[in-house]
């Protein structure tokens, strides 16, 4: 007796995801396999001469990066941020920010001299550093080995742009309230020449020429940003609150939401890389050690502006960074055991 052939299941629009039995989420639909320069079967990244400068760049710094995985496409942003959810999320956050600025519109005039000096030496010049973060994040996103990496990096890049915009807005507010303080005028000189800022400036300038995508990702997202955000967001906010500047403390709390969300997806990506290939641990630890030294020097330099002992500021930032790294290194070891 002949067994009848099994009827082939009708293909659906989401068959590109494999033999799945559920409807993909909106996040998966709009982020899955969207990077045309990572398509299977391609002879080179771009449809031009395989030895063209752009193809050689991607071949050298992405395809031959020490950070490799068999399946980058299976990475998922833990928050599943897509365009619509990101716009809605940040619209709500911007409403909160605008409400705070309106509520404290006259508070800047009553700030102490010490707090005005702190704002003019730490907050307002930091837009140069954050703009450097934004540029480095854009590179990580563009070089990403999958569309899910590119998507997450793109929204993190937008977060940095939003932060630069907020700092610029606060700079103008403070300039109006304290026209003789130098705020709104001296930021570039402080960034380029003030001794306290030079280690941070060196760190981000070096990160901008870390061309290997794995090292660029590690330098910015696993080391520099987590370390300096602890200094320039959390510790700065706490110092501002102690100085009677409640607005700066509240705004720092809002910025910390973006920083925490970035740590979630970057930690998840590092964990994914380690789960895909155990030997990814070697390049990650090598890069982390290399960039941690620069990050610690940057934190120590900024400590003088916060009026705190460098050892205290660096230890706090280093502790936050180590806790972040443990979240993916230790998690992979635990699952392996």
């Amino acid at each position: 007796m002949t067994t009848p052939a099994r009827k082939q299941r009708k293909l659906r629009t989401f068959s590109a995801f494999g033999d799945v039995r559920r409807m993909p989420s909106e996040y998966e639909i709009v982020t899955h396999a969207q990077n045309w320069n990572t398509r299977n079967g391609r002879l080179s990244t771009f449809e031009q001469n395989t030895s063209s400068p752009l193809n050689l760049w991607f071949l050298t710094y992405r395809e031959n990066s020490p950070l490799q995985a068999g399946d980058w496409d299976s990475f998922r942003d833990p928050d599943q941020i897509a365009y619509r959810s990101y716009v809605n999320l940040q619209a709500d956050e911007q409403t909160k920010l605008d409400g705070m600025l309106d509520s404290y519109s006259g508070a800047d005039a009553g700030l102490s001299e010490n707090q005005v000096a702190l704002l003019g030496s730490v907050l307002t010049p930091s837009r140069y550093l954050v703009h450097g973060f934004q540029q480095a994040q854009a590179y990580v996103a563009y070089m990403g080995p999958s569309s899910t990496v590119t998507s997450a990096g793109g929204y993190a890049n937008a977060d940095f742009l939003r932060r630069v915009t907020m700092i610029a807005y606060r700079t103008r507010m403070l300039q109006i309230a304290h026209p003789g303080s130098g705020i709104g005028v001296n930021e570039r000189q402080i960034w380029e020449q003030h001794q306290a800022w030079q280690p941070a400036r060196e760190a981000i300038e070096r990160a901008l020429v870390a061309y290997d995508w794995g090292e660029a990702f590690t330098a910015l997202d696993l080391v520099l940003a987590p370390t300096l955000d602890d200094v320039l967001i959390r510790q700065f906010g706490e110092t501002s609150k102690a100085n009677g500047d409640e607005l700066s403390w509240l705004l720092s709390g809002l910025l910390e939401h973006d920083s925490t969300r970035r740590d979630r997806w970057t930690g998840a990506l590092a964990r994914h890389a380690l789960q895909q290939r155990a030997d990814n641990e070697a390049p990650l630890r090598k890069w982390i050690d290399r960039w941690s030294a620069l990050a610690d020097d940057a934190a120590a330099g900024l400590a003088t502006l916060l009026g705190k002992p460098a050892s205290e500021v660096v230890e706090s930032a280093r502790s936050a960074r180590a806790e972040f790294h443990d979240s993916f290194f230790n998690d992979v070891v635990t699952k392996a055991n």
Side-chain angles (χ1 to χ4, degrees), residues 184-224:
V185 177
N186 297 334
E187 281 78 17
R188 180 172 179 177
Q189 181 181 9
I190 293 171
W191 168 249
E192 292 180 345
Q193 299 179 21
H194 197 296
Q195 190 64 33
W197 274 103
Q198 298 321 294
R201 187 162 75 95
E202 177 185 357
I204 189 56
E205 288 179 356
R206 287 184 180 275
L208 288 169
V209 292
Y211 297 136
D212 181 277
W213 96 264
E215 182 171 11
F217 164 70
T218 304
L220 175 68
D221 291 312
L222 302 186
V223 180
L224 292 181

Side-chain angles (χ1 to χ4, degrees), residues 49-166:
N49 191 304
T50 55
S51 61
S52 68
L54 195 56
N55 276 325
L56 291 177
W57 185 278
F58 274 76
L59 178 66
T60 302
Y61 297 121
R62 185 180 71 184
E63 318 304 350
N64 290 329
S65 170
L67 193 66
Q68 293 291 331
D71 183 14
W72 286 116
D73 281 324
S74 60
F75 164 72
R76 295 292 183 268
D77 174 4
D79 291 297
Q80 298 203 8
I81 297 293
Y83 180 76
R84 182 167 67 170
S85 58
Y86 181 79
V87 169
N88 290 336
L89 170 69
Q90 294 300 52
D92 291 341
E93 291 297 298
Q94 191 64 35
T95 299
K96 296 175 187 176
L97 189 150
D98 292 342
M100 289 178 186
L101 294 174
D102 289 342
S103 299
Y104 289 84
S105 59
D108 287 338
L111 294 176
S112 67
E113 185 176 330
N114 286 342
Q115 181 60 16
V116 173
L118 178 69
L119 290 164
S121 61
V122 176
L123 175 66
T124 60
S126 71
R127 71 177 183 268
Y128 290 98
L129 175 66
V130 179
H131 181 56
F133 284 173
Q134 181 194 348
Q135 291 177 301
Q137 191 70 78
Y139 181 77
V140 170
Y142 181 62
M143 295 288 287
S146 76
S147 54
T148 49
V149 175
T150 295
S151 176
Y155 295 123
N157 176 56
D159 288 343
F160 283 130
L161 176 59
R162 176 171 172 266
R163 184 170 163 187
V164 169
T165 302
M166 188 278 284

